[in-house]
């Protein structure tokens, strides 16, 4: 690990070779998609290099497995949110997908949602946009906004509560 921290590329290659199959298994267990698991495995090693300064030389396999697991969970959540956005009327949408009318309606919907988000109290707007529009994880939002993950969670909870109270259900 010390050699990897010092920038030794050969040591990094050895480390990757040693743990790539283990990490793939951890990730595949969550996402259940071979190609996606391979991509996330690569992303895990990139994240490992970014997080290396915080590694405290205790249980490397556990540490990197936790990074891999968290990346897999984030990817799965992001994929789930994207499915929710697409909606349940996918067959009907497939008939009109290429039409200019459909594109215009989609753009209007996006504009409407963006205007509605602007009605939220300012403290909630950033996290709501990041989570629902950009599909970021709590961890990514916390890093971008320089706040704790628990704060992100609390703001999203309170934003949802505010929306239920102030918005009519048929608006969306």
């Amino acid at each position: 690990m010390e050699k990897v921290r010092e920038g030794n590329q050969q040591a990094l290659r050895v480390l990757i070779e040693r743990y790539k199959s283990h990490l793939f298994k951890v990730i595949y267990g969550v996402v259940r998609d071979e190609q996606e698991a391979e991509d996330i495995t690569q992303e895990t090693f990139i994240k490992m290099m970014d997080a290396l300064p915080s590694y405290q030389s205790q249980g490397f396999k556990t540490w990197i497995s936790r990074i891999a697991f968290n990346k897999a969970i984030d990817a799965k959540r992001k994929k789930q949110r994207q499915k929710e956005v697409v909606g349940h009327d996918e067959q009907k949408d497939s008939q009109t997908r290429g039409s200019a009318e459909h594109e215009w309606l989609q753009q209007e919907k996006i504009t409407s949602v963006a205007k509605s988000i602007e009605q939220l109290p300012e403290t909630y707007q950033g996290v709501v946009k990041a989570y629902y529009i950009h599909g970021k994880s709590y961890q990514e939002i916390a890093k971008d906004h320089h706040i704790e993950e628990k704060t992100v969670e609390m703001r999203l909870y309170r934003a949802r509560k505010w929306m239920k109270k102030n918005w009519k259900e048929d608006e969306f």
Side-chain angles (χ1 to χ4, degrees), residues 1-12 49 52-53:
M1 281 306 301
E2 289 304 316
K3 289 180 182 178
V4 173
R5 281 185 175 165
E6 293 169 2
N8 184 321
Q9 294 297 312
Q10 184 61 30
L12 179 61
M49 291 304 294
L52 208 52

Side-chain angles (χ1 to χ4, degrees), residues 40-145:
I40 297 170
T41 302
Q42 291 176 359
E43 291 173 18
T44 299
F45 286 112
I46 293 169
K47 176 70 175 177
M48 176 204 72
M49 291 304 294
D50 292 341
L52 208 52
S54 68
Y55 175 63
Q56 299 173 352
S57 300
Q58 295 178 341
F60 178 78
K61 188 174 183 180
T62 304
W63 180 73
I64 196 165
S65 295
R66 191 176 322 117
I67 292 172
F69 184 76
N70 288 338
K71 296 286 283 173
I73 292 292
D74 288 347
K76 188 172 182 175
R77 285 180 182 156
K78 187 174 183 177
K79 196 174 196 178
Q80 185 62 38
R81 282 194 305 270
Q82 288 172 344
K83 284 181 184 176
E84 289 172 2
V85 169
V86 169
H88 61 284
D89 291 331
E90 200 165 338
Q91 290 177 339
K92 189 170 78 174
D93 286 352
S94 67
Q95 296 168 354
T96 60
R97 217 169 249 150
S99 74
E101 179 184 7
H102 175 73
E103 290 178 27
W104 180 80
L105 287 172
Q106 286 299 102
Q107 190 58 45
E108 283 299 306
K109 188 185 291 185
I110 291 169
T111 303
S112 173
V113 170
K115 284 181 184 176
S116 296
I117 290 174
E118 289 174 5
Q119 294 173 2
L120 284 167
E122 281 187 45
T123 54
Y124 307 145
Q125 288 179 20
V127 293
V128 168
K129 283 180 186 174
Y131 187 76
Y132 289 107
I133 305 295
H134 303 294
K136 293 185 176 184
S137 68
Y138 286 11
Q139 195 174 32
E140 293 169 321
I141 297 168
K143 185 178 177 185
D144 293 347
H145 291 260

Side-chain angles (χ1 to χ4, degrees), residues 9-20:
Q9 294 297 312
Q10 184 61 30
L12 179 61
R13 282 189 203 99
V14 168
L15 191 75
I16 290 171
E17 285 301 315
R18 181 177 295 162
Y19 291 102
K20 72 179 179 185

